[in-house]
Amino acid sequence: THQDNIGNAHIPSGQNGKYTQGLPPTSGEHYAQPAPWGVKTTWIPFETTTHNLEHGGILIMYNGLDKTQTDQLTSLVRNLDSSGFNKIVLEPWPQMPSDSTIILTAWDWILRMPAPDDTSIVKFVRQHTDDEAPENGTP
Protein backbone atom coordinates (compact mmCIF):
# COMPACT_ATOMS: atom_id res chain seq x y z
CA THR A 1 0.00 0.00 0.00
CA HIS A 2 1.34 3.42 -0.93
CA GLN A 3 1.53 5.93 1.94
CA ASP A 4 1.72 9.72 1.85
CA ASN A 5 5.19 11.16 2.35
CA ILE A 6 5.40 13.05 5.65
CA GLY A 7 8.92 14.38 5.11
CA ASN A 8 12.42 13.39 6.08
CA ALA A 9 13.53 15.89 8.73
CA HIS A 10 16.38 15.00 11.07
CA ILE A 11 15.65 15.29 14.78
CA PRO A 12 18.03 15.27 17.77
CA SER A 13 18.99 11.87 19.12
CA GLY A 14 16.61 10.88 21.91
CA GLN A 15 13.71 12.99 20.65
CA ASN A 16 10.52 11.18 19.64
CA GLY A 17 9.51 11.39 16.01
CA LYS A 18 6.00 12.43 15.03
CA TYR A 19 4.41 9.87 12.71
CA THR A 20 1.01 11.20 11.70
CA GLN A 21 0.09 8.10 9.69
CA GLY A 22 0.67 5.73 12.59
CA LEU A 23 3.20 2.99 13.12
CA PRO A 24 5.28 1.69 11.57
CA PRO A 25 6.27 4.82 9.65
CA THR A 26 7.17 4.77 5.97
CA SER A 27 8.66 8.28 6.03
CA GLY A 28 9.05 11.04 8.55
CA GLU A 29 11.32 12.40 11.22
CA HIS A 30 14.42 10.42 12.10
CA TYR A 31 17.85 10.53 13.70
CA ALA A 32 20.94 11.48 11.69
CA GLN A 33 22.45 7.97 11.85
CA PRO A 34 20.72 4.91 10.30
CA ALA A 35 20.96 1.44 11.82
CA PRO A 36 23.51 -1.02 10.44
CA TRP A 37 21.91 -3.29 7.82
CA GLY A 38 21.23 -6.92 8.67
CA VAL A 39 19.47 -9.31 11.02
CA LYS A 40 18.76 -7.97 14.51
CA THR A 41 17.61 -9.76 17.66
CA THR A 42 15.99 -6.71 19.27
CA TRP A 43 13.76 -3.91 18.03
CA ILE A 44 15.41 -0.62 16.97
CA PRO A 45 13.42 2.63 17.42
CA PHE A 46 11.64 3.92 14.33
CA GLU A 47 13.52 7.20 14.65
CA THR A 48 16.62 5.22 13.64
CA THR A 49 15.23 2.79 11.06
CA THR A 50 13.24 5.45 9.21
CA HIS A 51 16.63 6.80 8.15
CA ASN A 52 17.34 3.36 6.63
CA LEU A 53 14.16 3.75 4.58
CA GLU A 54 15.34 7.18 3.44
CA HIS A 55 18.48 5.48 2.09
CA GLY A 56 16.35 3.16 -0.04
CA GLY A 57 16.32 0.25 2.37
CA ILE A 58 13.65 -2.16 3.55
CA LEU A 59 12.59 -2.76 7.13
CA ILE A 60 11.10 -6.19 7.87
CA MET A 61 9.50 -6.58 11.29
CA TYR A 62 7.96 -9.70 12.73
CA ASN A 63 6.13 -10.94 15.82
CA GLY A 64 4.24 -14.09 16.72
CA LEU A 65 6.34 -16.40 14.55
CA ASP A 66 7.55 -19.73 15.88
CA LYS A 67 11.27 -20.60 15.82
CA THR A 68 11.03 -22.44 12.50
CA GLN A 69 9.27 -19.49 10.83
CA THR A 70 11.77 -17.02 12.31
CA ASP A 71 14.67 -19.15 11.07
CA GLN A 72 13.11 -19.36 7.59
CA LEU A 73 12.59 -15.59 7.47
CA THR A 74 16.18 -15.00 8.60
CA SER A 75 17.44 -17.40 5.92
CA LEU A 76 15.36 -15.62 3.26
CA VAL A 77 16.81 -12.24 4.26
CA ARG A 78 20.35 -13.62 4.18
CA ASN A 79 19.71 -15.11 0.73
CA LEU A 80 18.40 -11.74 -0.49
CA ASP A 81 21.51 -10.08 0.97
CA SER A 82 23.83 -12.47 -0.86
CA SER A 83 21.98 -11.85 -4.13
CA GLY A 84 22.53 -8.08 -3.99
CA PHE A 85 19.60 -6.90 -1.87
CA ASN A 86 21.72 -5.95 1.11
CA LYS A 87 19.79 -2.91 2.36
CA ILE A 88 17.47 -4.79 4.71
CA VAL A 89 16.95 -4.57 8.45
CA LEU A 90 15.16 -7.62 9.88
CA GLU A 91 14.00 -7.25 13.47
CA PRO A 92 11.37 -8.38 15.94
CA TRP A 93 8.73 -5.78 16.82
CA PRO A 94 7.04 -6.73 20.11
CA GLN A 95 4.32 -4.07 19.68
CA MET A 96 3.18 -5.29 16.25
CA PRO A 97 -0.59 -5.07 15.72
CA SER A 98 -2.31 -8.44 16.08
CA ASP A 99 -3.53 -8.43 12.46
CA SER A 100 0.01 -9.04 11.17
CA THR A 101 2.92 -11.40 11.82
CA ILE A 102 5.23 -9.64 9.35
CA ILE A 103 5.27 -6.02 8.20
CA LEU A 104 7.59 -4.68 5.50
CA THR A 105 8.20 -0.99 4.97
CA ALA A 106 10.06 1.01 2.34
CA TRP A 107 9.99 4.76 1.73
CA ASP A 108 6.24 5.55 1.33
CA TRP A 109 5.27 1.84 1.08
CA ILE A 110 3.97 -0.77 3.53
CA LEU A 111 3.00 -4.43 3.28
CA ARG A 112 1.18 -6.04 6.21
CA MET A 113 1.14 -9.83 6.21
CA PRO A 114 -1.08 -12.00 8.43
CA ALA A 115 1.22 -14.99 7.72
CA PRO A 116 4.68 -15.49 6.21
CA ASP A 117 4.76 -15.49 2.41
CA ASP A 118 8.25 -15.68 0.89
CA THR A 119 7.07 -14.78 -2.60
CA SER A 120 5.43 -11.54 -1.42
CA ILE A 121 8.47 -10.62 0.67
CA VAL A 122 10.89 -11.12 -2.23
CA LYS A 123 8.62 -9.19 -4.60
CA PHE A 124 8.36 -6.23 -2.17
CA VAL A 125 12.13 -6.14 -1.59
CA ARG A 126 12.91 -6.29 -5.31
CA GLN A 127 10.31 -3.67 -6.17
CA HIS A 128 11.09 -1.13 -3.44
CA THR A 129 14.82 -1.29 -2.68
CA ASP A 130 16.26 2.06 -3.78
CA ASP A 131 12.88 2.88 -5.36
CA GLU A 132 11.37 6.22 -4.30
CA ALA A 133 13.57 7.10 -1.34
CA PRO A 134 15.05 10.61 -1.16
CA GLU A 135 18.58 9.25 -0.64
CA ASN A 136 18.32 6.03 -2.64
CA GLY A 137 21.66 4.64 -3.70
CA THR A 138 23.19 5.70 -0.38
CA PRO A 139 24.81 2.81 1.54
Side-chain angles (χ1 to χ4, degrees):
T1 304
H2 191 264
Q3 303 287 295
D4 291 334
N5 186 312
I6 59 171
N8 61 339
H10 284 188
I11 57 174
S13 184
Q15 181 177 322
N16 290 332
K18 296 178 185 111
Y19 302 113
T20 57
Q21 295 183 40
L23 298 177
T26 61
S27 63
E29 298 177 337
H30 56 272
Y31 300 149
Q33 185 65 39
W37 303 111
V39 176
K40 311 301 178 196
T41 57
T42 59
W43 178 74
I44 301 167
F46 293 124
E47 290 83 1
T48 299
T49 55
T50 300
H51 197 151
N52 292 74
L53 303 181
E54 183 185 36
H55 283 205
I58 306 294
L59 179 60
I60 304 174
M61 298 154 284
Y62 63 90
N63 193 30
L65 301 179
D66 63 31
K67 182 174 177 0
T68 299
Q69 292 170 314
T70 302
D71 290 347
Q72 289 172 336
L73 182 59
T74 299
S75 178
L76 176 64
V77 167
R78 289 192 172 129
N79 287 337
L80 284 163
D81 178 71
S82 67
S83 65
F85 293 95
N86 55 1
K87 292 171 76 170
I88 299 173
V89 173
L90 173 66
E91 65 179 359
W93 182 27
Q95 303 302 317
M96 183 174 290
S98 60
D99 64 345
S100 301
T101 61
I102 299 173
I103 298 177
L104 291 84
T105 57
W107 194 259
D108 294 341
W109 290 93
I110 189 166
L111 175 62
R112 298 175 186 274
M113 302 175 67
D117 178 350
D118 289 359
T119 302
S120 294
I121 292 169
V122 169
K123 182 178 177 183
F124 187 93
V125 168
R126 287 182 175 166
Q127 185 173 5
H128 297 294
T129 298
D130 278 332
D131 183 25
E132 299 178 11
E135 296 180 12
N136 61 24
T138 306

